[in-house]
Amino acid sequence: APMIYFNSDYLEGAHPSVMARLNETNMVQTVGYGEDQYCAAAREKIRAVCQAPEADVHFLVGGTQTNTTVIASILRPWQGVLSADSGHINCHEAGAIESTGHKVITLPAAEGKITAQQVQDYVEWHRNDESTEHIVQPGMVYISHPTEYGTLYTKAELEALHAVCQEYKLPLFLDGARLGYGLAAEGTDVTLADLARLTDVFYIGGTKVGALCGEAVVFPHGAPAHFMTMVKQQGALLAKGRLLGIQFDVLFTDDLYFSISKNAIATANRLKAGFAEKGYRFFMDSPTNQIFLVLENAQLAALKGKAKFGFWEKFDDTHTVVRIATSWATRMDEVEALLTLM
């Protein structure tokens, strides 16, 4: 039997509609650097769905590059960024943020999330510490939705974070690498319009949600001065910007981004039900496309060469936490094959 891959949500290329449009427009000549008609059309569609007519929308290639560029463009040299200790910028970005001269200041997360109270407590501690001039100042807040654990913020939690960030003049930045799956999750009360209202900058992930590559960065109230220059400085300005614009134009035509995201939720829910029936132990409950199982090491070894999962963390001496990720492209027959195998 062929290997079944469930280790990530960007194992395939792009949605067929995206590939078709890239092919159709391939020989059209456009200007570079995202100043073409396709990028313009995609920006208009994104502004409309976000209900943010004044928003600046920039297209970057990937998540780490986006996080680094956005954070470096906002922080002053003496500032750092507040993040959950499990945050992607802290754990999985190889010091990219720190390479721009900014510390990632970590807060202990509960299932990937941080609270408004934690932000307030940290800022107050920093302000009132007698050595405050010797300590990196928190200059912005980074969260992700979904989080590293596939969990979601509620609208009330985002409103509380927004209020604290406004009070302390801290820009709130939301990493939306998997945003499609967060918006499609059952029971969520958060929309793109809410994100545009409650954050200073967020991005709509394409790489993991139907695009070949690309993240759409949305600054609802306008980007920092010289943002494009910062993008260029980070080596992140794509000369053939049209490649990104075309993809987002397709994804935001007829709600494609939202409809294809639902597949990841439906296939993940089928897996969860199947694992529960078989008596598997869940590490935690995640409402999106990531499932965390506690597997015996012996069983994990037996699955080698048959199914690929993401290693998450050691649970104890005989058990490991693995991550199983579905995507816009996961087929139900692959799901059934995995359940049969396990």
Side-chain angles (χ1 to χ4, degrees), residues 157-306:
E157 287 169 335
L158 289 175
E159 280 169 345
L161 275 165
H162 169 74
V164 163
C165 287
Q166 290 285 300
E167 183 186 342
Y168 291 107
K169 297 185 170 53
L170 296 173
L172 179 59
F173 172 33
L174 184 142
D175 171 336
R178 295 189 166 92
L179 187 54
Y181 307 134
L183 298 170
E186 292 161 12
T188 182
D189 61 353
V190 173
T191 65
L192 270 179
D194 292 324
L195 296 186
R197 184 170 56 85
L198 298 170
T199 71
D200 297 280
V201 53
F202 66 95
Y203 63 98
I204 301 168
T207 302
K208 294 180 167 83
V209 193
L212 272 178
C213 58
E215 322 297 319
V217 183
V218 182
F219 289 94
H221 319 295
H226 307 293
F227 183 72
M228 187 168 159
T229 309
M230 288 291 294
V231 172
K232 181 97 182 189
Q233 193 184 79
Q234 293 293 327
L237 188 60
L238 192 62
K240 296 183 183 178
R242 46 109 49 84
L243 291 175
L244 304 175
I246 289 162
Q247 295 186 76
F248 277 96
D249 190 40
V250 172
L251 288 172
F252 283 87
T253 299
D254 301 329
D255 291 335
L256 185 67
Y257 188 76
F258 304 99
S259 59
I260 67 174
S261 293
K262 288 179 185 152
N263 180 69
I265 306 299
T267 47
N269 286 347
R270 171 68 191 111
L271 277 174
K272 282 178 209 169
F275 289 140
E277 273 169 38
K278 289 177 178 249
Y280 278 94
R281 180 175 176 186
F282 293 88
F283 180 59
M284 51 169 291
D285 183 39
S286 152
T288 59
N289 68 315
Q290 302 182 78
I291 302 166
F292 298 89
L293 286 184
V294 180
L295 295 184
E296 288 179 13
N297 293 345
Q299 184 183 18
L300 202 51
L303 287 167
K304 204 170 170 67
K306 297 176 186 171

Side-chain angles (χ1 to χ4, degrees), residues 5-328:
Y5 292 92
F6 277 94
N7 51 312
S8 189
D9 38 19
Y10 48 92
L11 302 172
E12 294 81 12
H15 189 275
S17 301
V18 170
M19 293 303 285
R21 187 75 180 131
L22 285 169
N23 206 31
E24 278 165 28
T25 57
N26 190 44
M27 295 310 288
V28 177
Q29 293 179 320
T30 71
V31 294
Y33 306 120
E35 292 171 5
D36 59 277
Q37 67 268 33
Y38 303 113
C39 287
R43 285 188 187 103
E44 279 309 314
K45 286 172 183 168
I46 287 170
R47 285 185 194 113
V49 75
C50 291
Q51 295 171 29
E54 304 301 306
D56 279 337
V57 182
H58 289 265
F59 300 108
L60 279 81
V61 175
T64 299
Q65 183 193 69
T66 301
N67 289 336
T68 308
T69 307
V70 167
I71 291 168
S73 72
I74 289 173
L75 293 181
R76 301 299 294 142
W78 56 87
Q79 294 177 328
V81 55
L82 284 167
S83 164
D85 50 12
S86 58
H88 206 73
I89 58 171
N90 187 47
C91 298
H92 289 114
E93 294 192 336
I97 308 304
E98 290 86 347
S99 78
T100 64
H102 299 288
K103 187 179 178 71
V104 177
I105 306 165
T106 58
L107 299 172
E111 298 191 337
K113 297 201 285 187
I114 54 172
T115 65
Q117 189 64 54
Q118 284 178 290
V119 172
Q120 180 169 0
D121 289 347
Y122 190 90
V123 178
E124 285 293 342
W125 166 79
H126 179 269
R127 282 187 177 183
N128 297 309
D129 190 288
E130 57 190 41
S131 301
T132 187
E133 291 290 352
H134 298 258
I135 309 168
V136 174
Q137 180 192 36
M140 65 187 293
V141 176
Y142 164 94
I143 57 173
S144 58
H145 181 84
T147 68
E148 290 299 284
Y149 285 96
T151 53
L152 294 170
Y153 285 90
T154 62
K155 196 190 298 190
E157 287 169 335
L158 289 175
E159 280 169 345
L161 275 165
H162 169 74
V164 163
C165 287
Q166 290 285 300
E167 183 186 342
Y168 291 107
K169 297 185 170 53
L170 296 173
L172 179 59
F173 172 33
L174 184 142
D175 171 336
R178 295 189 166 92
L179 187 54
Y181 307 134
L183 298 170
E186 292 161 12
T188 182
D189 61 353
V190 173
T191 65
L192 270 179
D194 292 324
L195 296 186
R197 184 170 56 85
L198 298 170
T199 71
D200 297 280
V201 53
F202 66 95
Y203 63 98
I204 301 168
T207 302
K208 294 180 167 83
V209 193
L212 272 178
C213 58
E215 322 297 319
V217 183
V218 182
F219 289 94
H221 319 295
H226 307 293
F227 183 72
M228 187 168 159
T229 309
M230 288 291 294
V231 172
K232 181 97 182 189
Q233 193 184 79
Q234 293 293 327
L237 188 60
L238 192 62
K240 296 183 183 178
R242 46 109 49 84
L243 291 175
L244 304 175
I246 289 162
Q247 295 186 76
F248 277 96
D249 190 40
V250 172
L251 288 172
F252 283 87
T253 299
D254 301 329
D255 291 335
L256 185 67
Y257 188 76
F258 304 99
S259 59
I260 67 174
S261 293
K262 288 179 185 152
N263 180 69
I265 306 299
T267 47
N269 286 347
R270 171 68 191 111
L271 277 174
K272 282 178 209 169
F275 289 140
E277 273 169 38
K278 289 177 178 249
Y280 278 94
R281 180 175 176 186
F282 293 88
F283 180 59
M284 51 169 291
D285 183 39
S286 152
T288 59
N289 68 315
Q290 302 182 78
I291 302 166
F292 298 89
L293 286 184
V294 180
L295 295 184
E296 288 179 13
N297 293 345
Q299 184 183 18
L300 202 51
L303 287 167
K304 204 170 170 67
K306 297 176 186 171
K308 185 136 176 67
F309 305 141
F311 167 81
W312 205 249
E313 60 191 66
K314 181 178 161 174
F315 185 76
D316 59 28
D317 287 343
T318 56
H319 295 81
T320 299
V321 179
V322 298
R323 184 189 73 177
I324 294 167
T326 58
S327 79
W328 62 273

